[in-house]
Amino acid sequence: MTKQPGGSTAAEPDRPVVGDTDATTPAETVATAGAPPATADEAAHDAADTDDLGDATERRPSAPAVAVLALLALAWLAAMLWSTREVIHSASAGVTAISLSAFALPGVISAALVAGAAVAVLGVDLLGHRVGERATLRFLAATGTGVLIGLAAAVVVNLTYADNSITNVIAGTTAAAAIIGGAVAGARSTPVVGAVVAAALGTLVFVVAFSRARDPLFDLFGAGDTQQSMVDAAKWVSRTESLLAGLVAGLLAFGYLTWARRRAAARGATNPPRWPAYLLAGAGPGLLLLLAEVIIRVGGRSLLDLASALSEADAVAQTSLGTSRVDNGIWVLFVGALTALIAFGRTLGPTRQDEEPAENEAG
């Protein structure tokens, strides 16, 4: 029915039909008319906000090339175990085998520590969103991976080395180092751990390669026929090695974290590495060397005591080597941290607040 002018229905206000759920009141009509319609951009923004909750862990920065690092670290551990076995088996007497085992133990422990951390980083990276921000689960996963590497290394040592007390010490200490390395890799910042592993692995390789330059450096630093000249030359050679190793550690840490930062920015990851990450990554190899020394002195104590008891010269040698390893770790820690931090600082440019006034004046 239409409303005619002057009709009875024209004087009556419009009323919603009872039962019509689509009817609105005048107030609702005014409110609806006053609100702007939702645009497509706002809808997409709302959808992105909801997706952020589920994709936060996927966009967290990850460590690049962790599989390559794990393979290289395992290869280095295998090389250290093989070389130690060859050195021990080449000894003609048991006394010589004890001394050589004590000398070779630090290299094996450092390699096991780095290998456990490297494979644990790979395991955490493969789990990805399954562990996410849950620190306890990350720690358990990383430590479990280190346990597997440690058990595998201990089995290899027991199967390939001679069956004696020396072998048991090497196997147990190697397993402990791999487990501790895996636990260290359970840290929240995966790129930083990856940078520490890469820098530590490069430092270990450098130290072995540097051994070929020790004899020329002894002559360069004035090593003569007297014992005092030999001691002085040895100190300068050790300081030179530590300084160069720290530079290598800092540059490798900086390069790896810069790579991880650019990779994270390209993938839209949140919380890219900042300057404290570079500082920690540069100091990481030195911290691992000091941690390896603690493991050697605790787990390999019986082997070191046996080697020191052989003769007075062996006791002096073991004490001197232990002190040298501690000094080397401290040098690598500080030099590596400063090198990485300075290299990062040189990449910084002016902030946007400094650039905007210049752009406004030019306009």
Side-chain angles (χ1 to χ4, degrees):
M1 177 184 297
T2 60
K3 298 180 181 180
Q4 300 295 332
S8 59
T9 58
E12 297 178 358
D14 293 336
R15 295 179 181 178
V17 180
V18 178
D20 188 359
T21 58
D22 295 335
T24 57
T25 63
E28 292 174 343
T29 303
V30 173
T32 304
T39 62
D41 292 338
E42 292 174 346
H45 180 70
D46 294 337
D49 289 341
T50 57
D51 291 339
D52 284 344
L53 298 177
D55 296 340
T57 58
E58 296 179 2
R59 295 207 311 267
R60 290 180 66 251
S62 60
V66 287
V68 176
L69 283 179
L71 290 176
L72 291 177
L74 289 176
W76 184 255
L77 175 59
M80 289 293 100
L81 291 175
W82 178 81
S83 63
T84 302
R85 176 186 176 279
E86 293 300 313
V87 168
I88 294 174
H89 284 199
S90 65
S92 58
V95 173
T96 308
I98 293 174
S99 179
L100 293 177
S101 299
F103 286 130
L105 184 63
V108 175
I109 299 308
S110 300
L113 190 63
V114 174
V119 180
V121 170
L122 175 60
V124 172
D125 187 74
L126 291 177
L127 290 176
H129 63 277
R130 292 183 177 87
V131 295
E133 300 293 335
R134 290 171 286 186
T136 302
L137 188 56
R138 287 174 59 88
F139 177 78
L140 293 177
T143 305
T145 306
V147 170
L148 294 178
I149 300 301
L151 291 178
V155 170
V156 169
V157 170
N158 283 319
L159 292 180
T160 58
Y161 287 41
D163 187 10
N164 51 40
S165 59
I166 298 176
T167 299
N168 295 331
V169 172
I170 296 175
T173 312
T174 302
I179 295 171
I180 294 174
V184 170
R188 180 178 180 182
S189 181
T190 305
V192 175
V193 179
V196 171
V197 170
L201 185 59
T203 303
L204 295 179
V205 175
F206 169 80
V207 169
V208 173
F210 185 83
S211 61
R212 297 182 178 274
R214 284 196 178 99
D215 291 338
L217 285 177
F218 266 100
D219 297 334
L220 178 64
F221 290 127
D225 297 332
T226 63
Q227 183 178 3
Q228 185 61 39
S229 65
M230 293 291 293
V231 171
D232 293 339
K235 289 181 180 179
W236 281 106
V237 170
S238 177
R239 290 171 182 173
T240 302
E241 176 185 352
S242 300
L243 177 62
L244 294 177
L247 290 174
V248 170
L251 292 176
L252 287 176
F254 165 75
Y256 187 93
L257 270 185
T258 301
W259 180 19
R261 185 186 182 94
R262 294 175 179 175
R263 185 169 177 260
R267 296 187 175 186
T270 57
N271 299 324
R274 300 180 182 275
W275 72 265
Y278 285 85
L279 181 66
L280 181 59
L287 292 174
L288 287 184
L289 290 177
L290 294 176
L291 180 58
E293 184 62 23
V294 174
I295 298 172
I296 293 168
R297 298 195 178 194
V298 175
R301 190 65 188 175
S302 58
L303 178 57
L304 297 181
D305 290 340
L306 285 175
S308 299
L310 296 178
S311 65
E312 184 177 353
D314 286 300
V316 173
Q318 290 299 327
T319 302
S320 176
L321 287 175
T323 304
S324 177
R325 290 193 299 268
V326 173
D327 292 341
N328 179 65
I330 294 174
W331 273 82
V332 173
L333 190 156
F334 285 103
V335 174
L338 290 176
T339 301
L341 193 59
I342 292 173
F344 172 70
R346 290 181 61 86
T347 63
L348 298 179
T351 60
R352 293 186 60 87
Q353 289 79 3
D354 296 335
E355 292 177 352
E356 286 178 357
E359 293 177 355
N360 294 333
E361 292 175 1

